[in-house]
Amino acid sequence: MGKTAVLFSGQGAQHPGMMKEAYEALPAARRVFDVASDALGRDIAALCFSGSQEEVNLTHNTQPCVLAADLAAYEVAKAQGMVADCFAGLSLGEYAALVSAGCLALEDAFPLIQLRADAMQSAVPVGQGAMAAVMKANPEDLRALCASVEGYVECANYNSPSQIVVSGEADAVDLLIAACKERKIRVVKIPVSVPAHCKLLEPAADALADALNEVSLNDPTVPVYLNVDACPITTAESLREKMVQQVKSPVLWVDTLQNLWADGCTTFIECGPGTTLTGFVKKTLKEAQAISVE
């Protein structure tokens, strides 16, 4: 038997009604939403279950809602007897991984992710940043293409061997989209208000660094594979620095999955809304077993 890795969903997987059944059926899942609401002074459960798609898609709402949904899903998995050997989370999902591994207290996680969300949104005025998903592009060629267009755009998420997300200035992303289409490369613009995981979010990283100095971090109970280097962290010593870097650095998700596999993980449990990460596993690791809790 191989190891089991738990993966936590990131921004983009959200939808109204996410984890409502878990909230109603499982006290441990309900507690997650209750803690989130108490910590933020607003009803996160009501927002997740009854909010419109437009409301849930606002970055200010999305990040605390998805974090709550991720952690509620993990409570469902644990109630079914699942035991995690490793954790990883895509972008904001990394915070769910850190909570689940004991690095970050649940009560601290929600104010921190709210600050992260608001700092990301304020770092780049709405309309000035953009992101797009590029399909079946060679990473090296895509990085060169990013460098060739006027303005700033770079690879931000290496999600699977067939999908890389780029992020940057809105005009530069539009130029890159046009360049991809000229080369018959499929590309889809992502409807987001924040150009995540690129240097435009340096101000958000600075704000997060200040907040992290006030938060206690602990050594993980099991290894957590981080976005910035795809490597497992086993102590809290360098965690603060890497959490700050994560906001403005590319998400190395393909490398993360491959490193988990190389370290003996053969079963991957996606905790959170949607099945996006399950799809990434299937495209990256052909022999792995991938299961979505939702």
Side-chain angles (χ1 to χ4, degrees), residues 96-267:
L98 294 172
V99 171
S100 300
C103 296
L104 180 63
L106 182 63
E107 293 77 5
D108 292 333
F110 288 100
L112 197 58
I113 206 70
Q114 187 67 78
L115 181 145
R116 179 183 185 268
D118 295 343
M120 289 172 66
Q121 186 65 77
S122 64
V124 182
V126 174
Q128 292 190 18
M131 300 182 77
V134 184
M135 314 303 176
K136 298 182 179 179
N138 176 278
E140 187 174 341
D141 291 344
L142 183 56
R143 287 192 289 268
L145 193 58
C146 287
S148 73
V149 303
E150 185 178 351
Y152 169 73
V153 58
E154 69 173 334
C155 295
N157 288 64
Y158 295 88
N159 287 334
S160 79
S162 59
Q163 185 191 101
I164 300 172
V165 173
V166 298
S167 181
E169 297 167 346
D171 290 345
V173 171
D174 287 342
L175 289 172
L176 181 76
I177 290 172
C180 286
K181 290 180 176 178
E182 286 177 7
R183 292 161 175 77
K184 309 299 182 184
I185 299 172
R186 183 167 170 254
V187 58
V188 179
K189 197 164 187 179
I190 302 173
V192 295
S193 57
V194 176
H197 300 291
C198 73
K199 71 178 184 181
L200 296 179
L201 293 190
E202 186 81 45
D206 292 341
L208 187 60
D210 292 339
L212 280 167
N213 286 332
E214 306 300 321
V215 174
S216 296
L217 298 175
N218 306 308
D219 293 349
T221 54
V222 300
V224 180
Y225 288 65
L226 299 182
N227 291 178
V228 295
D229 56 12
C231 294
I233 188 167
T234 56
T235 69
E237 190 174 345
S238 63
L239 186 52
R240 277 186 178 81
E241 180 184 352
K242 291 184 178 182
M243 290 173 74
V244 171
Q245 290 175 357
Q246 191 236 40
V247 179
K248 58 182 179 178
S249 300
V251 173
L252 306 182
W253 194 248
V254 172
D255 290 345
T256 296
L257 295 179
Q258 290 174 338
N259 287 347
L260 284 162
W261 178 264
D263 291 343
C265 293
T266 57
T267 300

Side-chain angles (χ1 to χ4, degrees), residues 76-101:
V76 173
K78 287 192 293 183
Q80 298 298 317
M82 190 277 302
V83 177
D85 297 299
C86 302
F87 292 106
L90 184 74
S91 191
L92 82 87
E94 188 166 280
Y95 284 72
L98 294 172
V99 171
S100 300

